Amino acid sequence: MNHSIVHEGIKNLHYEIREIVDFGYHLRSLGRPITWENIGDPVAAGEKVAPWIKEIVRETVESGDASYAYCPSRGILTTREFLADVVSNRPNSVKIGPDDILFFNGIADAVDKLYDLIQKDWRVLMPSPSYPTHTSNEGKRGDYPHLQFRLNPRDNWQPDLEEIENKVKYNPQVVAIAIVNPDNPTGIVYRREVLEGIVRIAAKYGLFIICDETYAHICFNGAETLHLSQIIGDVPGLALRGISKDFPWPGARCGWIEMLNKDASPAFREYCDALVKSKMMEVCSTTLPQMVIPRVYGDPRYQTLKNERAKMFERRANQVYEFFRTVPGVIARPVQGAFYYCVTFEDGVLDERQTLPIENPAIREYVEQCNRGVPLDKRFVHYMMGSEGVCVTPLTGFHTDQNGFRLTLLQPDDAERARTLERIGKSIRAYTGL
């Protein structure tokens, strides 16, 4: 074949969270057992789905054949009505109707479409580090370098509003600002004044806002659950929600978009209509998970479940923070949401001469072969996997120049988590010599 087929932006599709798994599988084939701390699947990590949620799913399946059929392309009407009421009844929230809710096969499906439908020459400003589904899809569309603002680990990962405004002001091709709140990978919850500042910037420059609220129900350590609909005013925006981390039911692949103020401008209305038309090309999203949402979210036991899970992740997050705050050469800060923890290395701590002992010659050879030309934090992660068998995700895999790594808070056994932390701390000390 004489012609290139693949879109040139495809080279920007990177998902280190799963790419590191291939590296780990190869090490395992060479005899190294792996402790997986890279993927945010609560169920796979051992969290049990509440029996009453399973009962609702079972009853729904057995109530008839509707769960086996197609549903409307936008999503099941009664579920969209329920969710629109939830949004509209939040304190100080904008009001929406069922046609402002649009279902997708998971948030990743929504993210792919919402970036793909933006014109090639327009840009979306997003954080650094940033969840790679967002940054990769943004990079794929226009094949441009990512346009980002920095999340500062020394300020509990909060961004600088002045930097955000300057990035918008001096890049007139910016059409939107995207954030994840609570954040993946850092675990921060954006302060109210920061969110309000982002809304003011969007209003001033005629932008819309994309807010991924996948972890909105997992806030702790004093952080408030604050939805985009509650602070957006009359600015147009998209809030992304799903049940993967809530029930949790990641295998359901069930997510939706709240289209906020879609009539704020003809251009934004056209964009929202394009999202609906694009979704109709797929016929519909998965039916069964949509059917159970009103019963689960409307059950009084769900609020209890949310509170219990928030307390659980708060305890785990604080355990991880208390450990890393004593490790030399890294920056560790308390987190307030989601179920991840990010550790960054101090400047100058990592270099290309550092190694860890690996007894198995085949594993050592493979690690050294894979470490040619990789970022410094990925180099450390490779050596730690070969030496200690702990798999974390290099922070540079989240489209940032900050060296570090992300681990999950999903291990249900506190003692096992403590042992894993000790193995990571041992590796950091041995690798850096600090």
Side-chain angles (χ1 to χ4, degrees), residues 128-129 148 150 377 395-396 398-403:
S128 168
Q148 296 174 280
R150 181 182 175 88
D377 59 349
L395 192 55
T396 53
F398 295 90
H399 296 104
T400 183
D401 59 1
Q402 301 183 63
N403 285 302

Side-chain angles (χ1 to χ4, degrees), residues 239-274:
L240 284 58
R241 297 289 309 281
I243 66 172
S244 290
K245 319 298 181 176
D246 274 0
F247 283 22
W249 193 3
R253 307 315 305 137
C254 180
W256 63 93
I257 286 179
E258 301 167 2
M259 295 179 282
L260 308 173
N261 300 319
K262 69 182 181 186
D263 290 317
S265 73
F268 190 67
R269 177 60 192 244
E270 181 184 35
Y271 175 62
C272 291
D273 289 345

Side-chain angles (χ1 to χ4, degrees), residues 39-90:
I39 294 177
D41 184 338
V43 179
E47 183 174 351
K48 303 300 181 184
V49 179
W52 63 268
I53 294 180
K54 291 182 178 180
E55 182 65 15
I56 288 174
V57 174
R58 184 188 67 78
E59 290 175 356
T60 303
V61 171
E62 294 181 351
S63 65
D65 291 339
S67 67
Y68 294 92
Y70 287 138
C71 68
S73 295
R74 293 175 183 268
I76 295 171
L77 177 58
T78 53
T79 300
R80 291 187 288 118
E81 289 174 336
F82 172 84
L83 292 173
D85 285 343
V86 169
V87 173
S88 299
N89 289 318
R90 293 169 185 159

Side-chain angles (χ1 to χ4, degrees), residues 228-239:
L228 180 64
S229 69
Q230 296 173 278
I231 52 94
I232 197 168
D234 57 4
V235 171
L238 303 174

Side-chain angles (χ1 to χ4, degrees), residues 200-215:
R200 285 194 299 271
I201 293 168
K204 180 177 179 179
Y205 293 92
L207 314 179
F208 72 95
I209 296 174
I210 300 167
C211 186
D212 186 333
E213 297 183 351
T214 298
Y215 301 92

Side-chain angles (χ1 to χ4, degrees), residues 332-350:
R333 292 291 183 267
V335 296
Q336 293 183 298
F339 40 63
Y340 306 103
Y341 194 93
C342 265
V343 176
T344 49
F345 289 98
E346 298 275 9
D347 291 343
V349 165
L350 300 182

Side-chain angles (χ1 to χ4, degrees), residues 158-210:
Q158 297 291 326
D160 182 337
L161 288 172
E162 183 178 357
E163 182 196 0
I164 294 176
E165 179 159 12
N166 282 334
K167 288 288 176 69
V168 171
K169 181 178 180 180
Y170 295 108
N171 293 278
Q173 68 272 41
V174 171
V175 71
I177 301 172
I179 61 172
V180 180
N181 186 44
D183 187 55
N184 179 7
T186 67
I188 64 114
V189 177
Y190 284 76
R191 299 180 188 127
R192 177 184 283 269
E193 60 268 26
V194 172
L195 291 174
E196 291 173 343
I198 291 173
V199 170
R200 285 194 299 271
I201 293 168
K204 180 177 179 179
Y205 293 92
L207 314 179
F208 72 95
I209 296 174
I210 300 167

